[in-house]
Amino acid sequence: MSPRIRGLHAVRAWLQARPTAADALLALGLLVVGLPQMFVGEFPRGGGLEDFRNPDVWDGLLVSVVTLALVWRRRHPMPVLAFIIGGELVLSAAQYPPSVPDVAAFLIAVYSVAAHRGLAQSALGGLTAFVYFVVYLVMLPVAISPVVVITDSALVIGVWVLGRNLRLRRAYFAELEDRAARLERARGTDARAARIEERSRIARELHDVVAHHVSVMTVQAGAARRIIDKDPGSAREAMSTIEEVGRTALSEMRRIVGVLRTDRDQDRAGRELAPQPGLGDLGELLDHVRETGLSVQLWIEGEARSPSPGVDVAAFRLIQEALTNTLKHAGPQARAWVRLYYGDDDLTVEIEDDGRGTATFMADNGDNPGHGLVGMYERVALYGGELKIGPRVGGGFGVRARFPLEA
C-alpha cells in the first residue's frame, strides 16, 4: 500500500472517530466555497431580483452562523434544522438573496434528521422542511415556474429519503453485527457446556470402572488373606483374579482417558480405542462378579433387540454400579438377580439382592448420594428413562430402570 493511500485511510479513520470535527470541516468547506461567490461579481438584476439587497458583511455573517450550525447536526439534528430554517427566515426578512452555503446547509440538515433520528422525529422534521421550502419558493419575489417548484421539492424529498435509507442500512448492519456477536457468545457457551458435559461423562465412566473393579479386587484380596494359610491354591486363584481384574480396570481407564488424546497421539500409540461396553458384555461382567463369591443370576424376557448405543452403555453401567453396591453393602451370603425385560418400545432393567446392607447403604448415602447414585440418575435421565432405587419387599435392595429402546 502506497504512503498516499495509507495517509487517506488514516485521515478517514481520524474523522470517523471524531464526527464533530468532521462536521466542522464540512461547514468550513461550504463557507470557503460559497462565501467568495456571494461577493465576487455584481449581483444580477431584473425579473424581480431588484427586490433583493446586495450581499454585505451582515449577509456573510448570518450565512456563516447558519452554516456553522452543521457542527452539531449529528448530536442535535432537529434543533439544528429548526435553527437553519429560522436563520433563512431572517435572511429572507432582511431581503438577502439565497446563497450556496445556507441552501446546502438546509439540505444537509434535512438529511441529518432523517439519518440520525427515528421515524417519528425524522418524518416530523422532513414534513416541516418540505412545507417551509415550498412556502419559501412560492413567496420569493422572483417568478418561478411550477416545474421548478416540483423539481426543487422533489430534491428535498430525495435528500430525506436518502438519509432514511442510510439509517435503515446502518441499523441493518448493526443488527447483523449484534447477531454475529450473540452467536459467537452462544457458541462459546455451548462449547463450555459441552466441555462440562464431557468432563461429567468421563467422571461417571471413571467412577463406574474404578468402583466396580476395585470392589471386586478388595473382596478377592480379603478372601485371599483369610485362606492363604489354609488353602494356598485358592488364595493363588484369588490373586490371579485380582491381577486380571486390575488389568481390565487399567485397560478401561486407558480407553476412557483416551478420548482426551489427540488424533496424533492415537496414531503414535498405534491402536484405536476399544468400543464402549454394552449389554453384549454382560456375561463377562457377571463372571467377574461371581468370582468374588456373589451368586448372580440373569433372566432375559421378551424379544431381545439391540437398543441405541447410548442406552446400551447406560444399561450396562447401571447394572455394573448396582452389583458393585451389592458387593460393598449386601454381605458375604447375599444373592443377586439381574432381569432384562424387552417391551415393545422400552427396556426394563432390574437388579435386586437379598442382602442385609440396605440400612448401611441408605445411612452412607442418605445425606450425600455420592457419584454412584448421581451417575445412575443422570444416565437414566439422559436417555429419557425412569429410575427407582430403594429397599425391596422381603429384604435386600433393588434398582429398577426403564429405558426407551430408541433414545
Side-chain angles (χ1 to χ4, degrees), residues 84-85 88-89 106 127-137:
I84 291 176
I85 291 176
E88 291 192 348
L89 289 175
F106 169 74
L127 180 61
T128 303
F130 177 78
V131 172
Y132 157 75
F133 190 74
V134 172
V135 173
Y136 178 80
L137 289 179

Side-chain angles (χ1 to χ4, degrees), residues 303-323:
E303 182 181 355
R305 299 187 301 281
S306 297
S308 64
V311 171
D312 197 24
V313 175
F316 177 87
R317 292 303 190 192
L318 179 73
I319 296 172
Q320 185 182 53
E321 177 65 25
L323 293 177

Side-chain angles (χ1 to χ4, degrees), residues 67-134:
T67 305
L68 288 175
L70 293 177
V71 174
W72 298 277
R73 70 180 186 90
R74 302 194 203 195
R75 293 185 178 179
H76 311 288
M78 287 290 289
V80 167
L81 176 62
F83 180 83
I84 291 176
I85 291 176
E88 291 192 348
L89 289 175
V90 172
L91 288 169
S92 178
Q95 295 183 342
Y96 286 118
S99 61
V100 172
D102 63 280
V103 173
F106 169 74
L107 294 176
I108 294 174
V110 174
Y111 163 83
S112 301
V113 168
H116 299 286
R117 285 296 177 264
L119 179 59
Q121 291 191 32
S122 64
L124 177 61
L127 180 61
T128 303
F130 177 78
V131 172
Y132 157 75
F133 190 74
V134 172

Side-chain angles (χ1 to χ4, degrees), residues 329-353:
H329 301 286
Q333 304 300 322
R335 296 176 299 169
W337 298 269
V338 177
R339 297 184 181 88
L340 301 179
Y341 176 73
Y342 290 88
D344 294 334
D345 301 316
D346 54 17
L347 168 65
T348 302
V349 179
E350 293 183 355
I351 307 95
E352 296 180 333
D353 65 69

